[in-house]
Amino acid sequence: MAMAISDLFVLIFHVVLREIYIYYTPNSFLSLSAVCPSYVHLRALTLDYSVWLTVSFTFDRFVSICCPQLRLRYCTERTATVVIVTLCALSCLKYIPFQFMYEPRYVMDYVYWGCRPRSAYFTSNWWVAFTWMTSISLSLLPFAVILLLNGLTVRNIVAASRARRRLKGQDGKDSEAESRRKSIVLLFTVSGTSILLWTTATVTFICTRVTVNFVSNDLTNPSAVANEVGILLIRVSAGANTCIYAMTQRKFRQELKTVIKNLTRCISRPMKLTRLSP
């Protein structure tokens, strides 16, 4: 549920607000210089939170499948709650410098609008280090961790499956193997989708930071086009993960139906009262 909610926030802040609301209402309150840095901060932390929840989910499946002794202590609702809250707090703290990185873009009728990086952002070693740190923690590090954990999980499953076949033989239904198969399908569907859709953004980050440092806004530049495609795929990833949860998780579908029913009741009740009132 936390993963689905974080992906929903990514879609709200990155698609609904940035690409739709701000595009069609350029002089909205989100464009005020006093609000703009906080909005950028929220965009960054929601994306970071969504990514690291996927990493934590991959680690949870790795522990559940490969570490039977640790599984009893780690794979609990209490641990899940601690992980969810801790990751949220770390994502919020990690991007606090965004609040101090921007300056007003222009003044109109004595009101400051927009925000742009301060000149020190391009020259200060501290800001360069901060940019590298946030970029690596958002793309390269999660990418590597998910690949590593999935590789270890696959190796463990192959070895365990061979051992169980030798012990049990080919006859009879293996409920443990069936349970593992379902867990693996969900694991590789979620993490595999994230890896595929994040590959373009990760490769673009490596190429642009090593060669030209920053991506230009000229869409005739191949690096700018690759960067925009990578951003598009990242947003698709947020929507794809939510669809995966809905299709594979029975409890998630039940909770989603409950939410929709409650919303329908909240909307229909005032309408009924309005019709009944004289």
Side-chain angles (χ1 to χ4, degrees):
M1 291 299 293
M3 293 171 69
I5 292 172
S6 66
D7 290 333
L8 178 61
F9 277 120
V10 170
L11 295 176
I12 291 174
F13 284 102
H14 287 261
V15 179
V16 176
L17 292 181
R18 185 185 182 189
E19 301 298 337
I20 299 177
Y21 180 72
I22 292 181
Y23 180 81
Y24 289 102
T25 56
N27 292 328
S28 65
F29 75 99
L30 292 177
S31 299
L32 293 171
S33 298
V35 180
C36 184
S38 298
Y39 171 62
V40 175
H41 181 202
L42 289 173
R43 286 210 328 258
L45 75 88
T46 53
L47 186 60
D48 183 88
Y49 187 45
S50 174
V51 170
W52 281 101
L53 278 179
T54 303
V55 175
S56 67
F57 170 78
T58 306
F59 180 75
D60 181 88
R61 296 297 89 191
F62 167 75
V63 172
S64 176
I65 295 172
C66 303
C67 308
Q69 295 181 351
L70 180 61
R71 175 176 58 190
L72 298 176
R73 301 193 306 269
Y74 182 82
C75 297
T76 62
E77 292 186 5
R78 182 177 182 276
T79 302
T81 303
V82 171
V83 170
I84 290 169
V85 174
T86 302
L87 289 177
C88 182
L90 291 176
S91 296
C92 293
L93 294 174
K94 187 189 305 182
Y95 295 97
I96 283 179
F98 277 1
Q99 299 284 351
F100 311 98
M101 192 176 74
Y102 294 95
E103 62 182 4
R105 184 178 295 273
Y106 62 94
V107 181
M108 185 175 64
D109 296 332
Y110 303 102
V111 178
Y112 292 97
W113 293 94
C115 57
R116 62 184 178 185
R118 299 178 186 273
S119 57
Y121 174 74
F122 302 96
T123 57
S124 172
N125 291 331
W126 191 92
W127 281 115
V128 172
F130 171 75
T131 304
W132 272 93
M133 184 270 294
T134 54
S135 300
I136 289 174
S137 68
L138 187 61
S139 57
L140 290 179
L141 185 58
F143 195 88
V145 172
I146 290 176
L147 285 178
L148 174 62
L149 292 176
N150 284 344
L152 295 175
T153 303
V154 169
R155 187 183 67 175
N156 181 276
I157 288 173
V158 172
S161 298
R162 290 176 179 174
R164 291 181 68 86
R165 279 198 298 267
R166 287 196 298 266
L167 293 173
K168 296 178 69 67
Q170 299 296 329
D171 300 330
K173 185 176 180 181
D174 192 344
S175 59
E176 179 68 19
E178 183 67 18
S179 176
R180 289 192 174 208
R181 187 188 68 82
K182 292 180 180 179
S183 296
I184 288 303
V185 170
L186 177 60
L187 169 64
F188 282 95
T189 303
V190 173
S191 58
T193 301
S194 298
I195 289 174
L196 289 175
L197 295 177
W198 271 85
T199 299
T200 302
T202 303
V203 173
T204 302
F205 162 76
I206 296 173
C207 296
T208 55
R209 291 304 171 92
V210 172
T211 57
V212 298
N213 290 328
F214 295 98
V215 180
S216 65
N217 294 324
D218 185 9
L219 292 181
T220 60
N221 189 330
S223 63
V225 175
N227 183 66
E228 291 297 323
V229 172
I231 293 174
L232 172 63
L233 293 178
I234 288 172
R235 293 165 181 171
V236 171
S237 176
N241 285 342
T242 305
C243 293
I244 291 171
Y245 310 147
M247 290 186 295
T248 59
Q249 295 295 294
R250 180 177 57 84
K251 291 183 179 180
F252 181 85
R253 293 195 298 270
Q254 291 177 351
E255 293 291 337
L256 184 61
K257 290 179 181 178
T258 302
V259 171
I260 294 175
K261 289 180 180 178
N262 291 334
L263 287 176
T264 304
R265 290 174 183 174
C266 292
I267 296 174
S268 60
R269 186 174 299 172
M271 296 178 62
K272 291 180 179 179
L273 292 176
T274 302
R275 293 176 180 176
L276 294 175
S277 60

